[in-house]
Amino acid sequence: MSAFPALQPTYAPYPFPVVRGEGDRIFDAEGNAYWDFYGGHCVCSTGHSHPKVVKAIADQAAQILFYSTAAQIPVRDKAAQALIDFVNGGLEHPMASVFFCNSGAEANENALKIAAKQTGRKAYASFKGGWHGRSILAISVTDDPKLTPGLESFLVPDTQLPWGDEEALEKADLSQCAAIILEPIQSMAGITTAPASFFKKLRQKCDESGCLLIFDEVQTGVGRMGTPYAAGFYGVTPDIITSAKGIASGVPMAAVILSPKTASAIKSGDLGSTFGGGPLASAALLATLDVIQGEGLMARATAIAERLRKELVGTVVTKVQGEGLLLGLRAPGCAASLKKHLMAEKILVGGSSDPEVLRLLPPLNLSDAAVDALLEAIKSFKN
């Protein structure tokens, strides 16, 4: 018998198995319920097993489970149009088309590849604190030295700029860069934000330098910031938006969303994915967008953020960072012990690379009861 587990370990798991989910809670094998403010790492946008999403998946599975893009599948076409309509609901300049794939890293890899092919350039720019995935181009523009040992010879040149620094951005030479990529809110770095003026300067700088602007909206998209995508929140239209995680409520799916100019330069065969935009994922995407819009979840995300900012004043949380339901709770000197306390109170939150910040990435249909429980637990915490 092998000394190794059949499932290769990745992250340290919760100290209990998750056997069921319902709404904003998950349950262990003994029936204990946990309020889920982590959302499977920002994935469960409509909560766990939302009835409309479950029905859409089941209905689609009864028709056809899968066929690749070798065939036209009506549900895939509907999903693409629905996503474009949703994105454009918050943009001054509309996006044109979408390429479906399977994960955030794959979406970013394709976006960076598109930029290189269209500009003929072989370098990129990104930002300190940015995190874009584990594939080769994505690692190249990710600020996480733990990922790169042994892979250095495969990485492409990348200039890392200080986050949110307009003066440094103005001085940067992007003339050899195919694209500059960023998370509109840096999640792993501790939910760090930048002012709207920074994004407008970024758009201007890219136009002047002839490089593409890529918004990595793997976490900020799909209504999480109270708008369809962060591009609309900040009033800037990038050349490419990447989306994943909550786009299909937990069914693996991602999208590369393209501006008209960028889309027009792509030829048949430039992009491909066997499983991208599969029927189940497409049905789940359609149901996800229907729930988010039909249940007013973008407005709810904004309202919950406002409540938390107001009611956490005077607690160990000195600042609530971020927007909508992509939030960081800054708890200087006690974030780790606060996280343990919340786990003991059966409340799940995420950590970050900033040891003073805990992350909230919950379902957008988070209940008042869940928010009440979080507030009560934080207020009762004794460091």
Side-chain angles (χ1 to χ4, degrees):
M1 186 174 180
S2 172
F4 296 98
L7 180 64
Q8 178 64 40
T10 52
Y11 302 105
Y14 294 140
F16 57 87
V18 176
V19 299
R20 185 170 68 87
E22 181 180 336
D24 52 9
R25 298 186 299 172
I26 57 174
F27 298 81
D28 66 17
E30 297 178 355
N32 296 307
Y34 296 77
W35 296 113
D36 188 8
F37 282 82
Y38 190 61
H41 200 96
C42 206
V43 169
C44 304
S45 53
T46 60
H48 298 283
S49 300
H50 191 290
K52 287 187 177 179
V53 178
V54 171
K55 184 178 187 304
I57 293 170
D59 288 349
Q60 182 59 53
Q63 295 176 16
I64 184 169
L65 276 169
F66 178 75
Y67 211 89
S68 72
T69 51
Q72 182 182 5
I73 305 290
V75 69
R76 181 186 293 132
D77 294 336
K78 286 183 64 178
Q81 187 61 58
L83 182 58
I84 289 296
D85 291 344
F86 181 69
V87 174
N88 287 343
L91 291 178
E92 180 180 355
H93 304 292
M95 303 300 274
S97 64
V98 58
F99 166 69
F100 285 128
C101 46
N102 306 285
S103 70
E106 188 182 347
N108 286 334
E109 191 83 2
N110 277 285
L112 293 163
K113 181 176 71 174
I114 289 167
K117 289 172 70 74
Q118 292 192 9
T119 64
R121 300 175 182 178
K122 296 179 171 58
Y124 298 95
S126 62
F127 290 93
K128 294 177 182 178
W131 212 101
H132 303 288
R134 296 174 181 271
S135 54
I136 291 300
L137 290 180
I139 288 179
S140 297
V141 297
T142 289
D143 183 14
D144 190 344
K146 300 189 301 296
L147 301 182
T148 56
L151 300 174
E152 292 86 352
S153 63
F154 298 101
L155 306 182
V156 298
D158 174 60
T159 299
Q160 283 190 351
L161 303 173
W163 174 242
D165 189 330
E166 293 182 41
E167 184 176 349
L169 178 60
E170 180 62 37
K171 293 178 180 177
D173 181 4
L174 303 182
S175 61
Q176 300 304 309
C177 293
I180 186 165
I181 186 170
L182 67 144
E183 301 165 273
I185 293 178
Q186 293 187 332
S187 180
M188 282 291 291
I191 314 295
T192 59
T193 59
S197 59
F198 173 74
F199 297 98
K200 291 179 168 55
K201 171 65 74 174
L202 189 58
R203 177 70 273 179
Q204 178 186 348
K205 184 72 174 181
C206 288
D207 291 340
E208 294 169 352
S209 304
C211 72
L212 273 62
L213 177 58
I214 301 172
F215 272 24
D216 173 351
E217 298 223 37
V218 168
Q219 292 196 33
T220 57
V222 202
R224 184 157 291 276
M225 288 176 59
T227 55
Y229 279 77
F233 184 93
Y234 290 115
V236 171
T237 304
D239 299 290
I240 301 175
I241 296 171
T242 58
S243 187
K245 291 199 182 287
I247 197 171
S249 293
V251 176
M253 192 181 209
V256 183
I257 305 164
L258 305 162
S259 71
K261 182 178 179 181
T262 307
S264 66
I266 296 174
K267 304 185 300 295
S268 177
D270 283 351
L271 301 172
S273 173
T274 296
F275 290 101
L280 290 186
S282 293
L285 181 152
L286 285 167
T288 297
L289 296 184
D290 180 57
V291 170
I292 288 172
Q293 295 172 99
E295 297 184 7
L297 299 190
M298 288 184 280
R300 177 147 187 82
T302 300
I304 292 173
E306 291 174 354
R307 182 185 173 194
L308 290 173
R309 285 193 174 93
K310 178 180 178 181
E311 297 193 31
L312 285 173
V313 172
T315 69
V316 294
V317 175
T318 59
K319 185 179 181 182
V320 178
Q321 302 172 181
E323 301 290 344
L325 284 177
L326 184 62
L327 298 175
L329 305 183
R330 181 165 292 279
C334 64
S337 53
L338 176 59
K339 185 180 179 184
K340 290 181 181 178
H341 169 73
L342 293 174
M343 173 70 81
E345 295 294 318
K346 295 186 169 51
I347 298 171
L348 307 177
V349 300
S352 73
S353 59
D354 185 333
E356 295 189 343
V357 176
L358 300 180
R359 288 184 296 161
L360 306 184
L361 322 162
L364 302 183
N365 52 357
L366 193 67
S367 65
D368 289 336
V371 179
D372 291 343
L374 177 69
L375 289 168
E376 182 179 345
I378 293 175
K379 290 174 181 178
S380 69
F381 172 69
K382 300 290 189 291
N383 188 18

